[in-house]
Amino acid sequence: MKAFRLDELEAERAANDGAYLQFLRERNMSVGLYALDAGQLDPQQPHGQDEVYFVVSGRAAITVGEETTPVARGSVVYVPAGVPHRFHHITEDLRVMVVFSPPEG
């Protein structure tokens, strides 16, 4: 078993000065914590893996392909591999758990 605490992951991500911290990598998936502050622009490009986003905290909108929806704590969004997507209109600091399958990179 591997267990993680969100506050410890957030501290590690912040200490490494990055928006993304991969904290689990297995044969069929990887999991990370993605952070964007209120008003920040989301620079990500389409990925070669399917993704599931689970919003831990914050408020924003996400556009996936041609569809846009608001997201907040508890929102879950699936993004198919290769589809353009971006968080925007971030009104509260956003913390998102990201599951990639197969593993990112």
Side-chain angles (χ1 to χ4, degrees), residues 15-101:
N16 289 315
D17 293 327
Y20 183 73
L21 170 71
Q22 182 182 92
F23 62 88
L24 179 66
R25 185 178 182 86
E26 297 294 333
R27 188 181 73 223
N28 294 316
M29 64 178 237
S30 62
V31 184
L33 180 64
Y34 189 45
L36 294 165
D37 292 336
Q40 188 175 355
L41 298 177
D42 182 1
Q44 64 180 321
Q45 300 294 316
H47 300 93
Q49 305 83 3
D50 287 342
E51 296 174 76
V52 173
Y53 288 112
F54 171 70
V55 178
V56 175
S57 63
R59 290 188 179 282
I62 186 170
T63 298
V64 178
E66 300 295 319
E67 297 180 81
T68 299
T69 191
V71 294
R73 187 176 131 224
S75 297
V76 178
V77 178
Y78 167 68
V79 179
V83 175
H85 58 285
R86 187 167 320 277
F87 290 99
H88 52 92
H89 296 94
I90 303 168
T91 58
E92 294 177 15
D93 292 353
L94 194 61
R95 300 301 181 262
V96 181
M97 191 161 309
V98 186
V99 179
F100 287 98
S101 181

